[in-house]
Amino acid sequence: MGLLDNKKIIIMGVANKSSLAFGCMQAIINQGGQVILTYQNDRMKRSLDRFVDDSVLKVECDVAKPENIEIAFANIAEKVGKVDGIVHAIAYAEKSDLDNKVTDGTLDSFSLAQNISVYSLIAAAKYGHEIMNENGAIVTLTYMGSERAIPNYNVMGIAKAGLESAVRYLARDLADKAIRVNAISAGAVKTLAVTGVKNHGDLIKISDERTVDGVGVTIEEVGNAAAFLLSPFASGIVGDTIYVDKGTHLI
């Protein structure tokens, strides 16, 4: 028996086999859950089809517009009925906003980062709770750049701070729906998202060196934590940010 037997979980943001969201997908399936994936566009759908079985439901959802999330979740409910959880693994910032100083950014690029990285979680909760069973859970992915001034993370760090704040307020507001909301602050892993950060190799190297055993965290370890937070075993964890970085944040 698994932690998520007979549970249906929406995962937003699986990009490839090295993504944190893919680690979450594997862990959820290993714990008996059924996954439903959302993807941004046809190009991402073709990529998903290369490594995700056709038996997995895939639904288009470009989170740049909240109405797309509403439509996608309605489509999911029509096909599989009520769901039990959501994994939100979506973030975006213009490359120039990562390479340059925060003061070099524009209002448009700042707003785009906030919209994709933060408001998409709020919209997913808004429309997701309507199709979610009681005792459901929402998990999003963040990074300690929300609390520390990480080199070249810049506007994304500001967005992650907003994301973690949104987790706390959503956890309060969805409590009457018996839905928990939490975040995982994952260590630096070589994913497609991290490669957009200038000198990302140095970032990963330093992060790995600061773990308690000198070995970096894996997508499997992050996925296992997500599966736990989605399960009834985590019923007492609400509105929190859980570090899954093998102690990098301790030093």
Side-chain angles (χ1 to χ4, degrees):
M1 294 180 64
L3 295 179
L4 298 172
D5 283 348
N6 303 315
K7 302 291 187 183
K8 300 170 188 174
I9 310 295
I10 299 170
I11 306 178
M12 310 174 74
V14 176
N16 52 48
K17 284 188 172 183
S18 68
S19 66
L20 295 178
F22 183 73
C24 294
M25 185 186 90
Q26 287 183 305
I28 291 165
I29 292 173
N30 289 343
Q31 291 299 324
Q34 174 187 346
V35 298
I36 302 100
L37 306 184
T38 70
Y39 60 88
Q40 181 183 12
N41 51 36
D42 288 341
R43 180 179 62 82
M44 293 303 297
K45 171 69 160 50
R46 289 193 295 272
S47 175
L48 278 178
D49 286 340
R50 286 197 288 269
F51 63 92
V52 177
D53 192 88
D54 288 340
S55 63
V56 174
L57 176 63
K58 308 178 188 79
V59 177
E60 184 173 2
C61 182
D62 183 347
V63 302
K65 294 182 179 179
E67 56 265 32
N68 294 341
I69 300 176
E70 182 179 16
I71 292 168
F73 283 18
N75 289 339
I76 290 170
E78 183 179 344
K79 290 180 170 65
V80 303
K82 293 264 189 176
V83 301
D84 301 283
I86 299 170
V87 174
H88 173 273
I90 295 174
Y92 179 80
E94 297 282 5
K95 192 173 188 307
S96 59
D97 284 342
L98 299 177
D99 291 346
N100 301 320
K101 294 181 179 180
V102 170
T103 50
D104 294 328
T106 66
L107 176 58
D108 285 344
S109 63
F110 180 86
S111 299
L112 180 62
Q114 293 288 327
N115 180 23
I116 302 297
S117 308
V118 184
Y119 191 75
S120 63
L121 172 67
I122 297 172
K126 177 179 181 178
Y127 300 114
H129 88 265
E130 296 175 352
I131 66 166
M132 194 176 293
N133 290 313
E134 276 199 3
N135 301 314
I138 300 172
V139 176
T140 190
L141 298 178
T142 185
Y143 177 62
M144 71 175 183
S146 63
E147 298 182 7
R148 313 286 179 84
I150 301 295
N152 305 312
Y153 205 59
N154 304 338
V155 73
M156 184 53 70
I158 298 171
K160 290 299 188 185
L163 181 72
E164 292 173 22
S165 182
V167 164
R168 293 187 286 272
Y169 283 98
L170 289 170
R172 179 199 66 185
D173 290 348
L174 294 180
D176 61 349
K177 309 293 184 185
I179 294 171
R180 295 178 296 105
V181 186
N182 290 291
I184 291 174
S185 185
V189 179
K190 189 175 181 180
T191 63
L192 184 63
V194 171
T195 57
V197 177
K198 186 168 68 174
N199 300 325
H200 65 271
D202 293 338
L203 176 64
I204 294 172
K205 181 174 181 291
I206 293 170
S207 179
D208 290 352
E209 288 174 349
R210 293 186 178 185
T211 62
V212 292
D213 61 0
V215 180
V217 72
T218 66
I219 65 169
E220 290 79 15
E221 289 169 324
V222 174
N224 288 338
F228 166 70
L229 288 174
L230 290 163
S231 79
F233 284 84
S235 60
I237 303 175
V238 181
D240 210 345
T241 296
I242 308 297
Y243 278 94
V244 184
D245 64 0
K246 295 184 72 178
T248 296
H249 70 286
L250 300 176
I251 301 174

